[in-house]
Amino acid sequence: MEGSKPRSFADEKKFIHRIDDCSYTIEPGFVPGMRVPGRFYVNSKLSDLMFGELEAHCQRDGVGGFLPAVKQIANVAGLPGIVKRSIGLPDVHSGYGFAIGNVAAFDMSDPEAVVSPGGVGFDINCGVRLVRTNLTVQDVRPVQEQLAQSLFDHIPVGVGSEGVIPATAKDLEEALEMGMDWSLREGYSWPEDKEHCEEYGRMLNADPSKVSKRAKKRGLPQLGTLGAGNHYIEIQYVDEIFDEKAAYKMGIAEKGQICVMIHSGSRGLGHQVATDALTQMERAMARDGILTNDRQLACARITSQEGQDYLDGMAAAANYAWVNRSSMTFLVRQAFAKQFSTTPDDLDMHVVYDVSHNIAKIEEHMVDGQRKQLLVHRKGSTRAFPPHHPLIPVDYQYTGQPVLIGGTMGTCSYVLTGTQKGMDETFGSTCHGAGRARSRNNSRTKLSYEDVLASLSDQNISIRVASPKLVMEEAPESYKDVTEVVNTCHAAGISKKCVKLKPLAVIKG
C-alpha cells in the first residue's frame, strides 16, 4: 500500500466534505485502503491550519516534512479491525504514526483487529490532574513567588531529573503492578484520590514482567519527577464558571479560587516500553502479512503474543504515570502546607480529577446499534464520558466526567464535562490541550526565550524553569489557541465548558 502518484491540493480536497460548522468528513479513497471514513473537528479559525498543512504537503509532492494530520487520520482508517471512523479532534497535529489528537477504536471480536503503539504515543498515560484548594487569589498573590520557588524546590524537574521519593527496584515492580494502590499503601496518596482518577489509578492487566530491564532502569530514578517538554505544574485561579452546578460538584464554588494543575506522564520508562514494542510489532507485521500505509503505524493483532505483551506493558507504564502524578501531588500538598503553616487537609487539597491523554483501553460502545467491546486508542485526546456512565465517580454521575484541558504556558486552561453526543460520535473522547501549530525546531529558531519569559513577567505570572532555552518550544506562539479548540468541542457538543482557569505561577522542566 506504499506510495501513489501525488494529487494536487484541489484534487485532495474533493475527498474532504464539510458536515457542519465544526466538522469535516474524509471519504475513503483519500489514501489507499481506507476501511472507514475519517472525521475531524475544527471551526473556521482552526480549519486554515489543517488545510494549510495539506496544501504545503501537496506543493512538496508529498516528499519530506511531516505527514499532514489529515493524511494520518486517513491512514489510521485503513488499519485492520477499525470501526465507525478515524477521528481527529480540534487540537490535532502531526505525530508518530497516528496524529496527536487522533482517536480510533478496534473491534475486540475481530480476529484481524490490531493494537498500535503509535495510537498511544511514547509518553504512555501522559495526563493531567487538577487539585483544588480553599485558597483565593488574595491569599496567594502576596506569596506567589515564594510558593513558586517552594514547588520548584520540592519537585524535581528537567530532562535528567531524579526523584526524591525513595524507591527500590522492588518498589518499582510493585508500583508498576499496583498503580495508585502502591501510592496509597506508601502514604503518598489519600484514599479518596483514586476515586477521582480514570481506572481508579490502576490498570488491572498490568504485568511488570512485560516491561524491559532497560525501561525499568530508566524509570526507577525518575519516580516523582516532572520531566521536561510540555510537562508542567501550574498554580491557577478560577477565572470563569460556565456551569455552576457541575463546578460545585467538583468543589469549585467561586471565581478567584486557587487550583493546582499537574501535567506529566511515564517519563523514560513509558518511552522505552513504546520503543521496545515497535521493534516486536514490525516482526509481527512481517509474519502475519499486515500492511499499512505508513511504517510508523507498526501494529500487531490484539490477540497475538506481541499485542498482549504490549497491552500488559503499556498498562504497567500507565500505572507508573499515576504513581508519578500521585507522588507530585504529595509534594505539592507539602509545599502548600509549609507555605501557609497548616495541613493539606485544612486547605481542602482534594483531587478534582485525573485524566489520561495517551492510552488504549477496552471499553463498551454502541456500533451500528450493537453493543461492542472495543480497544479505544486515545492519543493526545481525553476520555469524556457522559452523565450516568458506570465508569465515572458517583460525585459526577449527574454532571458527566470532568475533562481537564491544559493550556499552553501562560494561557488559560479549561475544565469540561463529557456528553452523550461525544459518547455517540467520538467514543466518549474530546481534545486534550491546545495542539502544536509549530514544530519544536521552528519554535526554537523563531522565538527568543528572553521574550517569552518577559511576556510572562508582564502578565504577573511567576515562572521557574530548569532549562530556559526549552521555553521557546512551549511558548503560546508555538500552539493553537486553546480557547478556539475548547469552543469547537463545545459547539460540536462532544464536551461542555464548565470552568476556565488562568495561571499565577508555572513550574517547568
Side-chain angles (χ1 to χ4, degrees), residues 45 48 57 59 78 80 118 121 124 128 137 200 229 234 248 272 288 301 331 339 368 406 410 416 420 457 470:
K45 292 180 181 173
D48 290 349
H57 178 74
Q59 287 167 354
I124 295 166
V128 174
V137 175
Y200 298 101
E234 279 191 1
Y248 183 77
Q272 193 63 47
D288 296 337
R301 288 182 183 143
L331 296 169
Q339 181 64 53
D368 300 326
L416 314 180
Q420 188 56 47
S457 180
L470 291 181

Side-chain angles (χ1 to χ4, degrees), residues 20 60 156 171 184 243 254 256 362 410 428 432 439 465 507:
D20 53 35
R60 298 191 305 266
D171 288 326
L184 185 56
D243 184 339
E254 59 179 343
I362 298 167
H432 85 302
S439 71
V465 281
I507 317 300

Side-chain angles (χ1 to χ4, degrees), residues 227-247:
N230 63 350
H231 294 160
Y232 61 78
I233 292 174
E234 279 191 1
I235 302 171
Q236 302 173 332
Y237 66 93
V238 175
D239 183 57
E240 215 169 328
I241 298 176
F242 305 102
D243 184 339
E244 289 189 1
K245 182 182 162 192

Side-chain angles (χ1 to χ4, degrees), residues 31 44 56 67 73 105 111 126 133 138-139 158 198 242 344 353-354 367 373 395 419 434 441 456 462 472 482 501:
V31 301
S44 56
L67 198 60
I73 293 166
C126 176
T133 76
Q138 288 75 20
D139 298 320
E198 257 183 70
F242 305 102
Y353 209 62
D354 180 304
V367 180
Q373 270 210 329
D395 302 7
T419 64
N441 188 49
L456 291 170
S462 303
M472 296 93 76
V482 69
L501 299 154

Side-chain angles (χ1 to χ4, degrees), residues 39-105:
R39 180 181 291 186
F40 60 94
Y41 293 83
V42 287
N43 65 10
S44 56
K45 292 180 181 173
L46 297 172
S47 62
D48 290 349
L49 206 56
M50 199 79 170
F51 286 106
E53 200 179 52
L54 179 61
E55 187 172 17
H57 178 74
C58 293
Q59 287 167 354
R60 298 191 305 266
D61 288 333
V63 178
F66 288 105
L67 198 60
V70 69
K71 285 280 185 187
Q72 292 192 308
I73 293 166
N75 283 339
V76 168
L79 291 175
I82 190 169
V83 296
K84 220 164 179 177
R85 61 182 72 96
S86 173
I87 298 156
L89 294 157
D91 48 346
V92 70
H93 56 286
S94 294
Y96 184 93
F98 280 59
I100 297 162
N102 203 170
V103 177

Side-chain angles (χ1 to χ4, degrees), residues 287-332:
R287 181 193 66 217
D288 296 337
I290 300 170
L291 297 174
T292 63
N293 287 344
D294 181 355
R295 67 181 298 272
Q296 290 186 357
L297 288 172
C299 55
R301 288 182 183 143
I302 296 170
T303 51
S304 70
Q305 190 63 52
E306 293 85 358
Q308 289 298 304
D309 285 354
Y310 170 68
L311 287 171
D312 293 348
M314 181 212 71
N319 286 348
Y320 177 93
W322 279 312
V323 168
N324 210 18
R325 289 199 284 280
S326 294
S327 300
M328 284 187 280
T329 303
F330 171 80
L331 296 169
V332 165

Side-chain angles (χ1 to χ4, degrees), residues 125-127 198 322 325 354-359 381-383:
N125 191 7
C126 176
E198 257 183 70
W322 279 312
R325 289 199 284 280
D354 180 304
V355 294
S356 307
H357 291 158
N358 292 353
I359 206 158
S381 58
T382 313
R383 194 186 78 177

Side-chain angles (χ1 to χ4, degrees), residues 210-400:
K210 305 302 182 191
V211 177
S212 69
K213 283 182 180 172
R214 181 155 188 222
K216 288 171 183 171
K217 187 178 178 184
R218 290 179 70 178
L220 181 59
Q222 294 181 335
L223 202 60
T225 64
L226 185 61
N230 63 350
H231 294 160
Y232 61 78
I233 292 174
E234 279 191 1
I235 302 171
Q236 302 173 332
Y237 66 93
V238 175
D239 183 57
E240 215 169 328
I241 298 176
F242 305 102
D243 184 339
E244 289 189 1
K245 182 182 162 192
Y248 183 77
K249 281 287 182 186
M250 298 173 197
I252 296 172
E254 59 179 343
K255 287 186 184 183
Q257 186 173 339
I258 296 294
C259 297
V260 181
M261 188 173 273
I262 301 169
H263 179 199
S264 80
S266 49
R267 301 296 322 273
L269 182 139
H271 198 285
Q272 193 63 47
V273 167
T275 304
D276 294 342
L278 287 168
T279 310
Q280 299 292 327
M281 290 194 178
E282 282 177 2
R283 288 201 283 267
M285 286 174 73
R287 181 193 66 217
D288 296 337
I290 300 170
L291 297 174
T292 63
N293 287 344
D294 181 355
R295 67 181 298 272
Q296 290 186 357
L297 288 172
C299 55
R301 288 182 183 143
I302 296 170
T303 51
S304 70
Q305 190 63 52
E306 293 85 358
Q308 289 298 304
D309 285 354
Y310 170 68
L311 287 171
D312 293 348
M314 181 212 71
N319 286 348
Y320 177 93
W322 279 312
V323 168
N324 210 18
R325 289 199 284 280
S326 294
S327 300
M328 284 187 280
T329 303
F330 171 80
L331 296 169
V332 165
R333 284 169 172 158
Q334 296 302 308
F336 267 74
K338 186 176 175 185
Q339 181 64 53
F340 292 98
S341 305
T342 183
T343 65
D345 205 21
D346 285 340
L347 290 171
D348 192 38
M349 295 189 76
H350 287 278
V351 172
V352 172
Y353 209 62
D354 180 304
V355 294
S356 307
H357 291 158
N358 292 353
I359 206 158
K361 292 197 283 193
I362 298 167
E363 297 172 359
E364 283 193 354
H365 291 271
M366 298 300 288
V367 180
D368 300 326
Q370 286 185 296
R371 187 175 293 280
K372 284 186 173 283
Q373 270 210 329
L374 307 177
L375 181 65
V376 183
H377 293 60
R378 292 189 182 92
K379 178 183 185 179
S381 58
T382 313
R383 194 186 78 177
F385 280 173
H388 313 300
H389 194 285
L391 291 181
I392 61 176
V394 66
D395 302 7
Y396 304 135
Q397 278 292 310
Y398 291 111
T399 58

